[in-house]
Amino acid sequence: MAENKTQATDASVDEFIEAVESPKKKEDAFALKKMMEEVTGEKAVMWGPSIVGFGQYHYKYDSGREGDFLIVGFSPRKASISVYLLGCMENNFDELLSKLGKHKMSVSCLYINKLADINESVLRELIKKSYDFMKEKYPSR
């Protein structure tokens, strides 16, 4: 069975963020790193070449496929900042999301243009709820 393409690496998170072209996205990425470290108590780790992740969980599907993946994270992409909240896949956070501010949402990914567009205390709460849900559902081995 093929391994996941996106795995934790030893690459430097700060070097990755320093290489972000947009000064505003770079500033927001450092702020998100600090926020997620504070909320999760986890150290930032690069996952693949472009995702900054915090915490990890081990999953195993009925098909037999299994692996490890980040619990929460972000990536400062050109179009927007992608915020990965894996706990949103199985929870209804609509009430919190309605208070967040300007964003788009997919199954487990929140897209924001800049931190100034959103309510950071609501984002902190979303990160915490998502992280706590995943830690409870997938306890460490």
Side-chain angles (χ1 to χ4, degrees):
M1 206 165 289
E3 287 189 347
N4 289 339
K5 291 180 194 174
T6 306
Q7 295 189 22
T9 72
D10 291 331
S12 168
V13 171
D14 287 348
E15 286 179 17
F16 166 71
I17 295 173
E18 280 295 340
V20 171
E21 289 182 26
S22 162
K24 185 61 186 150
K25 274 216 173 68
K26 183 185 304 189
E27 179 183 324
D28 284 353
F30 276 117
L32 272 172
K33 176 186 173 225
K34 182 177 184 218
M35 179 190 300
M36 288 188 171
E37 285 178 338
E38 290 171 357
V39 171
T40 67
E42 303 273 4
K43 184 181 180 321
V45 172
M46 287 303 302
W47 283 78
S50 62
I51 299 174
V52 180
F54 303 82
Q56 72 177 35
Y57 71 102
H58 185 79
Y59 62 86
K60 185 170 185 175
Y61 298 132
D62 291 340
S63 66
R65 182 180 178 89
E66 63 181 296
D68 296 302
F69 201 62
L70 59 103
I71 295 177
V72 297
F74 70 91
S75 184
R77 311 255 186 220
K78 275 197 191 294
S80 62
I81 298 170
S82 301
V83 180
Y84 301 97
L85 302 170
L86 282 292
C88 288
M89 291 186 300
E90 299 178 46
N91 284 289
N92 182 340
F93 292 139
D94 287 348
E95 185 178 337
L96 278 174
L97 289 167
S98 72
K99 299 174 187 175
L100 183 61
K102 187 178 174 184
H103 73 281
K104 292 182 182 172
M105 185 78 192
S106 68
V107 176
S108 63
C109 196
L110 176 71
Y111 303 97
I112 57 176
N113 291 326
K114 55 188 181 285
L115 287 180
D117 288 343
I118 60 160
N119 182 323
E120 288 187 34
S121 64
V122 173
L123 180 58
R124 283 178 174 273
E125 192 172 347
L126 280 165
I127 293 165
K128 178 82 170 128
K129 286 184 178 292
S130 181
Y131 178 82
D132 289 348
F133 173 82
M134 294 299 287
K135 288 297 276 187
E136 185 176 321
K137 181 167 182 175
Y138 298 94
S140 298
R141 302 181 252 167

